[in-house]
Amino acid sequence: MGFLLLGVVVALLPVPVSSEGGGVELNEVKMRLYPRTEDKGVVWLFGAKTLTYNPGQSESVLSGLEQGQRLVKGKLDMTLETQSLTIDQNDVLYTDLVTLRVPKDCISMSFGIKGNPRAVRIDQSTGFSGPNVVY
């Protein structure tokens, strides 16, 4: 579902810049991701300076992330802060370092390894994992 939305966004935007390998690069992107999950009403909102889609790997990379929010039934559930985020074909999110905040529980945690773009994994069905957690 998330990649269907991405396809619609790519089709409607004017003059996308083609990159090597047939990928697409978009600038100043606002994106909604409707992940495949058992939870109803989950939407991720992202804002980034650049979105690059690689069709060979079926992945999108958001760089210069300016917004990362998870809404459940229209209410803020979690915020995500990182510089770069990869979204795979199964709506799994990957990054090197991230800070997650859960406002309703007053929880903030940071974890990951700088320079390892898959150190942190956020799976829509099973939760998140990564090394070096600071709670």
Side-chain angles (χ1 to χ4, degrees):
M1 180 70 168
F3 283 107
L4 175 64
L5 176 63
L6 178 61
V8 170
V9 169
V10 169
L12 295 176
L13 287 174
V15 194
V17 178
S18 293
S19 61
E20 285 185 32
V24 174
E25 182 176 296
L26 304 172
N27 295 308
E28 301 302 326
V29 175
K30 299 286 184 201
M31 177 181 156
R32 289 177 181 256
L33 175 66
Y34 297 91
R36 291 175 225 137
T37 178
E38 292 180 15
D39 296 333
K40 301 292 183 202
V42 175
V43 178
W44 280 96
L45 305 175
F46 298 110
K49 293 184 183 198
T50 305
L51 179 142
T52 305
Y53 177 68
N54 180 334
Q57 295 180 334
S58 295
E59 291 183 340
S60 296
V61 177
L62 296 164
S63 301
L65 204 68
E66 298 166 343
Q67 175 190 21
Q69 296 180 336
R70 181 178 190 255
L71 305 177
V72 177
K73 297 181 182 173
K75 294 184 181 176
L76 181 63
D77 177 60
M78 179 186 306
T79 63
L80 173 149
E81 293 176 26
T82 187
Q83 290 298 308
S84 178
L85 187 69
T86 300
I87 305 169
D88 76 7
Q89 63 196 12
N90 297 312
D91 301 333
V92 177
L93 312 177
Y94 297 95
T95 190
D96 62 346
L97 291 170
V98 69
T99 299
L100 297 177
R101 290 187 176 84
V102 182
K104 74 174 188 172
D105 296 327
C106 296
I107 295 173
S108 179
M109 65 186 86
S110 299
F111 52 102
I113 299 173
K114 186 166 181 68
N116 181 347
R118 294 197 181 256
V120 175
R121 175 185 167 104
I122 302 172
D123 188 306
Q124 307 303 319
S125 301
T126 60
F128 46 87
S129 61
N132 304 325
V133 177
V134 177
Y135 184 76

